[in-house]
Amino acid sequence: IAVVALAFAVHLPGRGSATPAALAVAIAFPALTLAAGCAGLMLAAPLRIGRGWPVWTLTAALAAQGGLWMEWNAMRLAGAPAGGGGVEAAFAACALLGGLAVSSWRVDGGNGSRHDRLCDGAARVLPLIVVVGAGFAATMQRSLAPSSLAAQLACDAATALVVALAAIRQAMLVRDRDQLADARHRLRDREDELGELNQHLEQRVSDRTREAELRNAELSVAMQQLSMAQRELMRSEKLAGLGALVAGVAEEMSVALGNATMVMSTLEGQLDALGRLHSRAVGGNGQGPAAQRRGDGATGHVQGLDRSHKQLAQWIAQTQRVVDGFRQLAADQSSNQRRHFDLLAMVRELVELTRLSHRRDPIELIVTGEADLMLDSYPGPLGQVLGQLLENAVMHGFANRREGTIDIRVWPSGRDAARITVHDDGAGIPAADLPHVFAPFFTTRLAEGGSGLGLTVCRNMVNSVLGGRIEVTSPSRAGTTVTVTLPRAAPRPSA
């Protein structure tokens, strides 16, 4: 628009008798070449064109050729001679430069932030340059040379249109700049939110990871506790099965001992008959030396048989008592029946069974106490408690020792209670572990198969079934003492 207005301003004053078609042709040549040069110049800023010479050479050649056309047309309208040698030479030079630039055409972008800032500044200043140039052209057109009304109107209209387009373009630039600033602000906010979300996400992931690790640890502990409980249950079932087995073996041995007792009774009668027969035989044969010697020998054999018979009777009676005790102990271990029993005798039977199971261990078991201490209670659970206490003493107290002593004492506690103490001179319990010995699943021998339920089961049986209490003390370097206090009459279960 500016180039066309410039061409009108230059050519209209000297139009003379030129027809509109001739004037249009005269205006078209400089308008096209100058517009192409201006377009190349204005595209340099948006395209970030660098220092490549072909682009700038072609732009300069087009602009120069447009100016030459403007001058040549003005000369023709003014009636100058057609042969202007200098103008034609300049035309040729511009054409050659343009052809050389086109033959090497390549648009190279600029590099560096400084060039980018320069191009951005040029893009912002271009509308202002156009407005200033339009105003300057209008001023020069009115002041320097008189022109026709048509030229003035054309120049004024072009100037107003250029100013309007420049204002619109500037407004668009301002709007784009505001939008860009707003976009940058939103982008910065999004980046801040994203950073905060990433931070929170990392925190949540860390929290969830710790929570998952905690849950896995709890699950592992629960699985371990379940495995321990299963082993403890299997142990209880094995004990129950062993009790039934001992009861069956004791029953068979009792039958065999009954048969042996019957045979012994028969032997006793036969021995009496043999003694009487021997007495009559000795009295009827006289008192010769040979007969006297034979009688003395037969009497010695009869007396020896009598002594052997009496010893056999004693051993059979003792064996029968042991078998009866084992059978009663097995029955108590496999049931929870309530009955009256002698506490010391029951403890002795249990210790004998423990001594047999640990006969290869150099551990001495000593039982002392007051006899005829009768209890109306549950010997089965009490036997399980004492068996567990003895096993704990052997397993924990003498784990690193070759020999030791376990003292089991039974004595009354007032008129309505009785006490049982199990003392060992073993390693003892560390002071830090002593408050936790009754806690479920607490054990110092987890890697060796300990379940941590033994003393817990003992305390539950003593407190709930037997109605008593259990205490553990372990002075430094003095072994461990477990005291079980029981009422002589266990509490009756509520209906």
Side-chain angles (χ1 to χ4, degrees):
I1 293 171
V3 168
V4 171
L6 177 62
F8 272 111
V10 172
H11 293 153
L12 282 179
R15 174 183 179 183
S17 61
T19 62
L23 184 61
V25 172
I27 293 175
F29 279 96
L32 291 176
T33 53
L34 284 174
C38 292
L41 183 63
M42 296 183 67
L43 286 175
L47 295 180
R48 302 289 195 272
I49 296 176
R51 298 179 180 179
W53 68 270
V55 176
W56 300 106
T57 301
L58 179 61
T59 302
L62 289 173
Q65 196 168 21
L68 292 173
W69 273 110
M70 190 81 69
E71 177 65 21
W72 192 83
N73 290 330
M75 292 171 58
R76 290 294 303 271
L77 291 175
V87 177
E88 283 81 358
F91 268 119
C94 290
L96 291 175
L97 288 175
L100 180 61
V102 171
S103 65
S104 303
W105 178 263
R106 187 177 62 181
V107 179
D108 294 328
N111 296 323
S113 58
R114 181 178 180 182
H115 183 73
D116 291 340
R117 291 194 299 269
L118 180 62
C119 293
D120 289 337
R124 296 191 188 98
V125 174
L126 279 176
L128 179 60
I129 294 175
V130 172
V131 171
V132 172
F136 179 75
T139 303
M140 293 297 293
Q141 192 271 337
R142 288 180 177 274
S143 62
L144 294 180
S147 59
S148 63
L149 181 61
Q152 293 179 2
L153 291 177
C155 185
D156 293 341
T159 301
L161 184 58
V162 168
V163 171
L165 292 178
I168 295 174
R169 176 57 182 163
Q170 194 67 22
M172 293 174 62
L173 287 175
V174 173
R175 184 196 62 182
D176 293 342
R177 183 176 180 181
D178 293 340
Q179 291 178 353
L180 181 60
D182 185 59
R184 288 178 178 174
H185 182 70
R186 290 198 302 269
L187 179 60
R188 190 179 300 108
D189 292 341
R190 295 295 185 272
E191 290 177 351
D192 294 340
E193 293 177 0
L194 183 60
E196 185 177 358
L197 288 176
N198 289 334
Q199 184 178 2
H200 290 171
L201 180 61
E202 292 176 359
Q203 184 66 29
R204 287 197 295 269
V205 169
S206 179
D207 294 341
R208 295 295 174 84
T209 303
R210 287 195 298 270
E211 183 178 357
E213 292 176 352
L214 180 61
R215 295 294 175 83
N216 289 336
E218 293 177 353
L219 181 61
S220 177
V221 172
M223 293 295 294
Q224 191 175 16
Q225 292 177 352
L226 178 61
S227 177
M228 293 178 182
Q230 289 177 347
R231 288 199 297 268
E232 189 67 22
L233 180 61
M234 292 176 61
R235 178 176 176 274
S236 300
E237 292 178 352
K238 288 180 180 179
L239 288 176
L242 180 61
L245 179 61
V246 171
V249 173
E251 187 67 27
E252 294 295 329
M253 292 181 64
S254 180
V255 173
L257 289 174
N259 294 332
T261 302
M262 184 177 62
V263 173
M264 184 185 64
S265 300
T266 303
L267 288 176
E268 183 179 5
Q270 293 177 355
L271 183 61
D272 291 340
L274 180 61
R276 289 192 299 270
L277 181 62
H278 171 68
S279 298
R280 288 195 300 271
V282 172
N285 292 333
Q287 298 294 329
Q292 184 67 30
R293 287 194 298 270
R294 288 193 296 272
D296 292 340
T299 301
H301 286 300
V302 171
Q303 291 176 354
L305 289 174
D306 184 60
R307 288 193 299 271
S308 299
H309 174 266
K310 291 180 180 179
Q311 291 178 357
L312 178 63
Q314 291 177 358
W315 284 110
I316 290 177
Q318 183 178 355
T319 305
Q320 185 65 50
R321 287 195 300 271
V322 173
V323 170
D324 291 341
F326 280 173
R327 183 169 55 186
Q328 183 62 52
L329 182 61
D332 292 338
Q333 290 288 330
S334 58
S335 66
N336 290 327
Q337 294 181 357
R338 182 188 184 110
R339 65 181 179 88
H340 289 80
F341 60 93
D342 187 344
L343 180 60
L344 181 61
M346 181 265 179
V347 171
R348 289 184 184 275
E349 294 170 359
L350 180 65
V351 170
E352 288 297 327
L353 185 60
T354 304
R355 185 180 286 114
L356 288 176
S357 62
H358 293 281
R359 60 184 180 274
R360 297 183 179 179
D361 297 328
I363 298 174
E364 184 178 3
L365 299 175
I366 302 175
V367 181
T368 58
E370 184 174 335
D372 298 328
L373 186 57
M374 303 302 297
L375 266 66
D376 180 15
S377 187
Y378 303 92
L382 179 57
Q384 295 180 17
V385 171
L386 294 179
Q388 183 64 51
L389 294 180
L390 294 176
E391 289 294 329
N392 281 358
V394 174
M395 181 182 298
H396 298 281
F398 304 102
N400 300 321
R401 296 179 55 180
R402 297 182 57 85
E403 59 184 15
T405 302
I406 300 177
D407 292 319
I408 302 97
R409 182 186 176 193
V410 178
W411 81 96
S413 177
R415 299 180 57 184
D416 301 328
R419 284 186 178 179
I420 306 172
T421 58
V422 179
H423 172 75
D424 65 79
D425 56 356
I429 302 175
D433 297 338
L434 192 60
H436 309 289
V437 293
F438 293 112
F441 305 106
F442 176 79
T443 178
T444 58
R445 303 174 66 87
L446 181 62
E448 303 177 16
S451 64
L453 292 174
L455 289 181
T456 303
V457 174
C458 290
R459 183 182 63 177
N460 292 339
M461 285 187 177
V462 171
N463 293 342
S464 60
V465 179
L466 303 176
R469 66 179 185 274
I470 182 171
E471 300 172 348
V472 179
T473 58
S474 182
S476 178
R477 298 181 181 179
T480 302
T481 302
V482 182
T483 304
V484 180
T485 304
L486 303 173
R488 298 194 184 187
R492 298 283 179 178
S494 57

